Amino acid sequence: MRARQPVLLRTARSLTANPSDAEDLLQTALTKTYVAWERIEDHRALDGYVRRALLNTRTSQWRKRKVDEFACEELPEPEPRPGCHDDPAEQQALHDAMWRAIMRLPARQRAMVVLRYYEDLSEVQTAEVLGVSVGTVKSAVSRALGKLREDPELVLAR
């Protein structure tokens, strides 16, 4: 046991997340090996026997673990946020529709809308990033928002 303990302890550590649990696991497996000593026919294969005892012991511990989940009559639902009574599925559908509408915009307008409203950049910062004037950003974003207001998929969502 003393000669093989470091190797067997590494095996035990690979089976558990906690080094202390690995030591306990190895001690239990070695105890089981000692109890079965008379039944072991080939003492040259003790490493394999102890490894199997480690694995079986860990499996038994896993099966017997305490479960902190309890069955209940009703599933707990998250509290709705103030001012937001929409169904999460409807919110996701609206989010998807918005992205589809944005993807239908011309590339330049799409870039400006994303930078302004999703990246929360100012008009000046957006102009700097894209290398255009602030007036160009204002007019392009205005046209893009107009197209989004008229998008048939978003009109139905209102």
Side-chain angles (χ1 to χ4, degrees):
M1 192 279 303
R2 285 188 186 134
R4 301 300 298 155
Q5 182 180 10
V7 174
L8 294 171
L9 186 56
R10 277 195 300 270
T11 302
R13 283 187 178 157
S14 71
L15 296 173
T16 63
N18 185 338
S20 298
D21 290 342
E23 291 172 1
D24 292 343
L25 179 63
L26 179 58
Q27 183 176 3
T28 303
L30 290 172
T31 302
K32 288 181 178 184
T33 304
Y34 178 75
V35 170
W37 189 260
E38 298 299 322
R39 291 180 289 150
I40 300 173
E41 295 176 12
D42 186 7
H43 288 123
R44 293 175 295 171
L46 282 176
D47 274 5
Y49 187 90
V50 174
R51 282 192 177 95
R52 177 45 75 183
L54 283 168
L55 187 59
N56 291 346
T57 302
R58 181 64 184 135
T59 302
S60 294
Q61 290 172 346
W62 178 78
R63 287 181 179 150
K64 292 176 186 175
R65 76 190 187 286
K66 179 182 176 189
V67 178
D68 291 331
E69 296 178 11
F70 303 98
C72 60
E73 294 293 322
E74 294 181 28
L75 292 175
E77 294 293 330
E79 292 294 322
R81 293 178 295 184
C84 183
H85 303 289
D86 295 338
D87 179 22
E90 290 176 11
Q91 290 176 352
Q92 185 62 45
L94 179 60
H95 181 267
D96 293 344
M98 177 61 80
W99 271 111
R100 284 190 299 274
I102 288 172
M103 294 306 291
R104 286 190 290 270
L105 293 173
R108 188 170 167 171
Q109 288 180 0
R110 182 173 55 238
M112 291 182 191
V113 167
V114 168
L115 289 172
R116 283 284 292 129
Y117 297 104
Y118 285 92
E119 295 296 324
D120 202 27
L121 297 183
S122 68
E123 292 169 341
V124 173
Q125 291 170 323
T126 303
E128 288 175 5
V129 167
L130 296 175
V132 297
S133 70
V134 174
T136 302
V137 171
K138 288 181 180 183
S139 63
V141 167
S142 175
R143 281 192 303 274
L145 292 177
K147 288 180 182 180
L148 291 175
R149 282 187 202 98
E150 295 171 3
D151 189 280
E153 200 172 352
L154 295 178
V155 169
L156 294 175
R158 288 187 207 158

